[in-house]
Amino acid sequence: MARVKADCEYIYSELEKMFPDAHCELNYQTVYQLAVAVMLSAQTTDVSVNKVTPALFKRYPDAFAMAEASQKEVEELIRSIGLYKNKAANLIAMSRQLVDEYDGIVPDDMEKLVQLRGVGRKSANVILSEGYKHPAIAVDTHVHRVSVRLHLAAVDDDVNEVERKLMKRFPRDRWSKLHHLLIFFGRYMCSARKPQCESCPFRECCREMKMKG
Ligand code: SF4
C-alpha cells in the first residue's frame, strides 16, 4: 500500500514538472459552451472542435438559441468534425432539455448531467471539474491508456474502474489537475502509437516497457 502511494506521489510530481500548464484545451466562455464543446469532442481532437465553435457559439450562444436551431444549420456549422449529424441532433435535444427542465442552465450534478442527451459520465466529469470546479476525474482514451501503462489501473479495467482506482489512489484535491496532467502526458508524450519513451521519467515502472522486454 505504501508503495502505491509513493508511486502515485512520484508520478504526480513528475507530471507536474513536465506539464506545469496542463489545462483544458477546449475554448469556451460559459458552462453551456463548455458542455457543447465537450460533446463535440467525442472521437475528434480539441483542435478540430476549436475550429468550429467560434461560428457555432456566435450563432447559438446559449441553450435557448440552440433549442430553436434547425438540424441542417447546426450540421453545416460542425460538418468538418466526425459524427456531425449525430452531434447536431444531440446538441439540439440537450439544449431543449436544458430549457425545459433547468431554465437553460447546465446542472452541476452528475445524476442530472448523465440524463442529458449525448452526455455520458466522462463528459459529465469534465463539465463538473472544468465548469464547476468540483473535484472529478474524467477518463478519456488518453487517461485510460496512460493509467494502464503506469500501473495505476489493470489492463482489462473499463473506464469506470479506472476512474474509481484513480480516485482512490490520489487525494481529492488533486483529481481535477491529475485529469489534465494525464491527458497532456497521453497527448504530448505517451501517445498511443509513438510514445517518446527515450525521454520518459517512467521507463522503469512502465508496463509497456516491460512487455517490450
Ligand atoms: S516509457 Fe513510453 S510507454 Fe511507458 S509511460 Fe513512458 S512514454 Fe509511455
Side-chain angles (χ1 to χ4, degrees):
M1 198 64 196
R3 186 168 175 275
V4 168
K5 277 187 184 162
D7 288 348
C8 290
E9 187 61 44
Y10 175 72
I11 288 168
Y12 190 91
S13 67
E14 287 300 314
L15 289 173
E16 258 195 326
K17 273 191 241 165
M18 272 187 275
F19 305 108
D21 185 36
H23 62 279
C24 175
E25 295 190 292
L26 292 168
N27 296 334
Y28 65 94
Q29 298 285 331
T30 64
V31 177
Y32 171 75
Q33 292 182 357
L34 170 67
V36 169
V38 170
M39 285 172 69
L40 292 177
S41 71
Q43 292 178 49
T44 191
T45 64
D46 289 359
V47 173
S48 314
V49 174
N50 289 338
K51 283 185 186 154
V52 302
T53 46
L56 185 71
F57 294 158
K58 192 165 177 214
R59 180 77 179 83
Y60 307 109
D62 53 33
F64 292 95
M66 184 68 83
E68 301 291 323
S70 91
Q71 165 105 14
K72 281 274 163 244
E73 244 189 281
V74 178
E75 284 180 10
E76 265 320 299
L77 287 165
I78 65 171
R79 65 179 304 129
S80 62
I81 60 173
L83 309 172
Y84 71 95
K85 289 192 180 196
N86 274 345
K87 288 176 181 176
N90 284 344
L91 286 185
I92 295 169
M94 185 262 298
S95 301
R96 287 183 183 157
Q97 277 179 283
L98 290 179
V99 169
D100 291 346
E101 296 171 37
Y102 302 107
D103 208 15
I105 309 285
V106 178
D108 63 346
D109 178 282
M110 171 61 80
E111 304 222 331
K112 290 177 179 163
L113 284 169
V114 295
Q115 299 300 321
L116 296 172
R117 171 98 169 256
V119 178
R121 189 174 173 87
K122 187 214 83 177
S123 300
N125 270 326
V126 176
I127 294 165
L128 289 172
S129 159
E130 180 68 17
Y132 289 114
K133 308 303 172 202
H134 291 195
I137 301 176
V139 180
D140 70 355
T141 179
H142 297 298
V143 176
H144 190 277
R145 180 180 67 256
V146 304
S147 295
V148 170
R149 286 180 175 174
L150 295 177
H151 289 274
L152 295 169
V155 174
D156 51 3
D157 283 346
D158 65 13
V159 288
N160 293 335
E161 188 60 14
V162 173
E163 181 187 334
R164 199 187 62 72
K165 285 185 177 170
L166 291 174
M167 286 164 69
K168 202 168 156 207
R169 289 182 169 170
F170 291 86
R172 198 178 166 81
D173 61 356
R174 286 185 166 175
W175 291 353
S176 295
K177 180 77 180 182
L178 176 72
H179 155 73
H180 292 309
L181 289 169
L182 291 175
I183 287 180
F184 265 57
F185 181 61
R187 228 174 239 168
Y188 301 116
M189 179 169 266
C190 187
S191 64
R193 296 211 184 111
K194 276 194 158 185
Q196 298 167 41
C197 304
E198 60 294 341
S199 49
C200 176
F202 307 126
R203 287 171 64 92
E204 297 297 311
C205 54
C206 169
R207 197 190 298 270
E208 198 85 352
M209 293 302 284
K210 281 192 189 120
M211 274 164 45
K212 282 180 191 164

